[in-house]
């Protein structure tokens, strides 16, 4: 079988502007994950009884602390479950669906190997999803900016959910030096 293109061991440096746009996308994904974690905390905290024993409170804090290392998919599932338990929240399905789309874009952008294309403004993220789906379309700076903007937009919607609880979404350790 003949090879099409460079061998896989060939490393390509991304153009500076594309690399910067990709970095901004990745940073927005990290921000979104933090917002999801804080919202889960706020939704769960709003439901806690006021008369918890110290032992019950510590057990809850340990469980909440455990989400710090969860994957984006698990965080979305936990956020969806927390929103279901909190009455009066609107757009839960729209938020969860959009987060699922962002998760797929996150996986693509964070795990792809980048290859140049014939069009200097577009690069191909070589990536196969866990479902065997191959990324066929190259991406441009404009595509990356659109993904970043969509990530920030859904993060802002998640923030509104957090604020609707009356909790500010503080994370354990925020008040420590």
């Amino acid at each position: 079988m003949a090879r099409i293109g460079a061998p896989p061991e060939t490393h390509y440096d991304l153009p500076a502007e594309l690399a910067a746009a990709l970095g901004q996308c990745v940073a927005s994904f990290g921000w979104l994950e933090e917002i999801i974690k804080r919202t889960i905390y706020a939704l769960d905290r709003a439901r806690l009884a006021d008369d918890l024993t110290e032992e019950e409170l510590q057990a809850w804090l340990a469980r909440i602390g455990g989400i710090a290392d969860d994957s984006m998919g698990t965080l979305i599932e936990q956020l969806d479950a927390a929103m279901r338990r909190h009455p009066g929240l609107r757009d839960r399905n729209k938020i969860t669906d959009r987060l699922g789309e962002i998760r797929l874009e996150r996986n693509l952008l964070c795990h792809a190997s980048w290859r140049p294309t014939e069009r200097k403004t577009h690069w191909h993220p070589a990536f196969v999803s866990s479902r065997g789906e191959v990324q066929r379309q190259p991406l441009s700076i404009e595509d990356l900016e659109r993904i970043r903007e969509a990530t920030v937009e859904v993060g802002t919607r998640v923030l509104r959910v957090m604020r609707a609880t009356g909790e500010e979404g503080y994370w354990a350790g925020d008040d420590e030096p």
Side-chain angles (χ1 to χ4, degrees):
M1 183 158 124
R3 178 185 318 277
I4 299 174
E9 61 271 10
T10 303
H11 176 270
Y12 297 97
D13 288 333
L14 295 173
E17 287 183 20
L18 184 77
L22 180 59
Q24 290 294 335
C25 275
V26 171
S28 69
F29 298 142
W31 172 79
L32 177 60
E33 287 185 23
E34 179 181 357
I35 295 305
I36 292 171
K37 291 171 188 177
R38 289 175 184 263
T39 302
I40 293 167
Y41 172 89
L43 289 168
D44 276 4
R45 177 70 184 103
R47 294 182 53 248
L48 286 180
D50 291 332
D51 62 349
L52 287 180
T53 65
E54 183 63 26
E55 185 176 283
E56 290 169 327
L57 179 61
Q58 291 306 316
W60 177 77
L61 285 172
R63 185 180 66 77
I64 288 295
I67 69 171
D69 295 329
D70 283 345
S71 70
M72 179 77 118
T74 302
L75 289 173
I76 293 168
E77 290 170 4
Q78 288 186 29
L79 176 64
D80 184 63
M83 288 190 297
R84 286 178 191 272
R85 292 188 300 265
H86 202 294
L89 294 178
R90 295 178 302 188
D91 295 334
R92 180 187 51 79
N93 288 336
K94 288 180 186 176
I95 291 171
T96 301
D97 290 347
R98 189 63 189 117
L99 286 171
E101 293 166 4
I102 294 291
R103 179 183 63 85
L104 295 175
E105 291 173 328
R106 176 200 168 276
N107 289 347
L108 167 68
L109 297 182
C110 291
H111 299 290
S113 170
W114 293 84
R115 304 276 181 223
T117 67
E118 291 180 11
R119 295 170 59 193
K120 292 198 182 290
T121 59
H122 288 70
W123 280 66
H124 181 257
F127 181 77
V128 179
S129 74
S130 59
R131 296 184 198 133
E133 299 161 331
V134 176
Q135 173 67 23
R136 302 228 182 261
Q137 297 300 315
L139 297 176
S140 66
I141 291 173
E142 292 77 20
D143 295 321
L144 296 173
E145 288 172 349
R146 178 191 50 76
I147 293 168
R148 183 194 54 77
E149 289 169 5
T151 301
V152 171
E153 188 276 327
V154 76
T156 302
R157 292 172 69 186
V158 174
L159 270 171
R160 285 195 295 269
V161 168
M162 181 182 73
R163 298 272 159 64
T165 68
E167 292 284 334
E168 290 300 312
Y170 295 112
W171 195 246
D174 275 353
D175 55 351
E176 295 175 9

